[in-house]
Amino acid sequence: MNTQRHPHVTAAATAADFLIASRQCEIRNLEHFLRMGRLVQSVGNLVHGLQRERGATNLFLGSGCQRFARERVLVLQANDDLVSAFRQALADIQHDLTDHPVSSPLLGHIAGALYCLDQLPEMRRRVSEQSASVADATDWYCDTIHKLITVVFEAAETVAEPSIAGLLVAMVHVMNGKEYCGQERATGSAGFSSGQFDSALSRRMMHLVEAQERCFEVFVNFAHEESLGLWQTLRANPRELEIERMRQKAVSVGRFKTLDEGLADHWFKLMTERMDELKKIEDSIESAFHHRCVERYTEARQTLAHQETLLASLEQRSSPATPVLVVCDNGVDARAVDAWAGDGVGQQAGRSIFDLVQAQTRRLRQMSEELQSAKEALEDRRIQEKAVLLLMEHRNISNDEAHRLLRKLAMDQGKRLPEVARALMSMSAVIGNQAAGLKSCRGTR
């Protein structure tokens, strides 16, 4: 083992110093997520508010501005407060995010969300003047909501504590599932209010139902007990059977068969109730996230204080004249360790520090293993989105058509969606490299 000192390493640096620094780093990370919790909560509330605004806007424009005018005004006023709360939560954590950045994608998506919110007054003006169509308004709200949800997704990517990461994974998938539910509400309202569903509307309904189910499957895998109980209550509600019956009408009627237009209001009411219950599940997870952050922060502070007291006691008992063994885990045999001489710490202290380092190493390794499943869930979502964008670009198809094509490929091959998405991305990279190579060859001729 190389025991030479490097010029930039001071003689005062010890294993104990870095052991304490490791704990302090963990505490700073937990402090960051305690503050991040307010931002996550404000994002969830704003997303729900914008989903309500989108629904009111669709009904307002769809009726030629004859219906929901008063209700829409009230929703806009409430949402102004939610936008202010989001901006304030962001201002409170801005120093942490910009002076000590932990994720470039997180900062980029926050910038995108803020840009969209800056355009909100203009979109509202266009709606009031009827210069925006239902499709224009819906697309704008969907894009803005997607950017806000992605902020929570990117925040989850930066968590190092498994139980906190798992809760954020559960939350972001409930938020996504609720957003697909909101889009289904809008799609169903368009079909029922017109009295018919053409093949495009029916296919979109099926896509949105399947997308919700995929989100909720991931949520169930990471949810805590209270949110699971709320989910089971939602599923047992008789409203779910009524929604399913109306879904069957939407996907089986056909363009030449008409429906009672009065079903539109009933559908909107049922789906709004469902979204409100999903928001309760989301709030439950957010509360658990906050309590878990506080709990882990308290535990980490107590552990740090205990370690500092123990190390101070060891230093007092140590003989300065006795050499110290500074040790590290070689990852194979905890008894087989490398050693070299140090200054000012006795053998008993060296052995005790070694025990602390070993305990910290085992704990961090266990955390890393537990964190892996949460990271994989987030990566699955990310790679699927990339594959959908790739299909949209190369096939010149819509988002819905790209999702359907990806699902068809998965079913035909008997594989999971993430596996097929990864294969597509790998194939794209290979084709891209080959194309670049051919260009290079032509350029040298």
Side-chain angles (χ1 to χ4, degrees), residues 409-422:
L409 289 170
M411 285 188 292
D412 290 348
Q413 297 175 30
K415 295 181 178 178
R416 295 173 60 247
L417 277 174
E419 294 177 54
V420 176
R422 285 189 179 87

Side-chain angles (χ1 to χ4, degrees), residues 178-227:
K178 182 160 71 71
E179 169 56 9
Y180 287 130
C181 184
Q183 292 181 28
E184 185 191 6
R185 178 179 66 180
T187 303
S189 294
F192 286 119
S193 61
S194 66
Q196 63 180 22
F197 283 81
D198 59 20
S199 58
L201 271 181
S202 293
R203 286 198 303 271
R204 178 154 177 77
M205 287 282 286
M206 288 188 288
H207 157 64
L208 292 170
V209 172
E210 291 170 357
Q212 287 174 67
E213 291 306 312
R214 289 198 304 274
C215 287
F216 295 137
E217 283 174 8
V218 178
F219 151 72
V220 167
N221 290 335
F222 291 92
H224 70 303
E225 186 176 352
E226 181 181 325
S227 59

Side-chain angles (χ1 to χ4, degrees), residues 150-337:
T150 305
V151 169
V152 180
F153 172 83
E154 292 296 342
E157 284 273 31
T158 66
V159 184
E161 163 61 41
S163 59
I164 294 174
L167 288 169
L168 280 180
V169 169
M171 183 186 296
V172 80
H173 282 86
V174 168
M175 292 174 76
N176 261 318
K178 182 160 71 71
E179 169 56 9
Y180 287 130
C181 184
Q183 292 181 28
E184 185 191 6
R185 178 179 66 180
T187 303
S189 294
F192 286 119
S193 61
S194 66
Q196 63 180 22
F197 283 81
D198 59 20
S199 58
L201 271 181
S202 293
R203 286 198 303 271
R204 178 154 177 77
M205 287 282 286
M206 288 188 288
H207 157 64
L208 292 170
V209 172
E210 291 170 357
Q212 287 174 67
E213 291 306 312
R214 289 198 304 274
C215 287
F216 295 137
E217 283 174 8
V218 178
F219 151 72
V220 167
N221 290 335
F222 291 92
H224 70 303
E225 186 176 352
E226 181 181 325
S227 59
L228 276 177
L230 291 171
W231 171 246
Q232 289 162 1
T233 300
L234 181 151
R235 300 286 280 194
N237 193 306
R239 175 195 61 246
E240 296 297 296
L241 290 175
E242 182 63 16
I243 288 174
E244 188 56 36
R245 282 193 289 269
M246 296 190 75
R247 283 171 172 169
Q248 291 303 314
K249 289 182 180 180
V251 300
S252 62
V253 169
R255 62 181 301 179
F256 300 111
K257 297 180 181 178
T258 58
L259 293 164
D260 180 4
E261 295 179 12
L263 290 172
D265 287 345
H266 185 50
W267 169 259
F268 190 88
K269 177 176 177 292
L270 289 174
M271 295 300 284
T272 299
E273 289 176 0
R274 188 173 203 256
M275 291 177 69
D276 287 342
E277 285 200 35
L278 287 170
K279 182 63 171 73
K280 291 178 182 177
I281 296 174
E282 180 189 314
D283 289 342
S284 170
I285 302 171
E286 192 281 325
S287 177
F289 166 78
H290 175 75
H291 284 108
R292 183 56 181 158
C293 284
V294 171
E295 186 179 71
R296 284 291 300 113
Y297 177 73
T298 303
E299 289 173 0
R301 289 294 299 267
Q302 290 172 346
T303 302
L304 174 62
H306 173 72
Q307 284 189 351
E308 288 175 331
T309 302
L310 177 59
L311 290 169
S313 173
L314 289 171
E315 287 175 1
Q316 290 174 1
R317 293 203 304 263
S318 302
S319 170
T322 307
V324 62
L325 290 179
V326 181
V327 293
C328 62
D329 182 11
N330 63 10
V332 180
D333 186 351
R335 294 168 299 177
V337 298

Side-chain angles (χ1 to χ4, degrees), residues 19 22-23 26 296 303 306-307 310 327-329 334 350-368:
L19 188 63
S22 173
R23 282 290 182 178
E26 184 178 346
R296 284 291 300 113
T303 302
H306 173 72
Q307 284 189 351
L310 177 59
V327 293
C328 62
D329 182 11
R351 186 68 231 178
S352 297
I353 292 173
F354 168 63
D355 291 340
L356 290 172
V357 170
Q358 289 291 82
Q360 176 81 331
T361 300
R362 286 192 295 271
R363 190 178 68 85
L364 292 176
R365 186 183 296 127
Q366 182 181 353
M367 285 175 60
S368 178

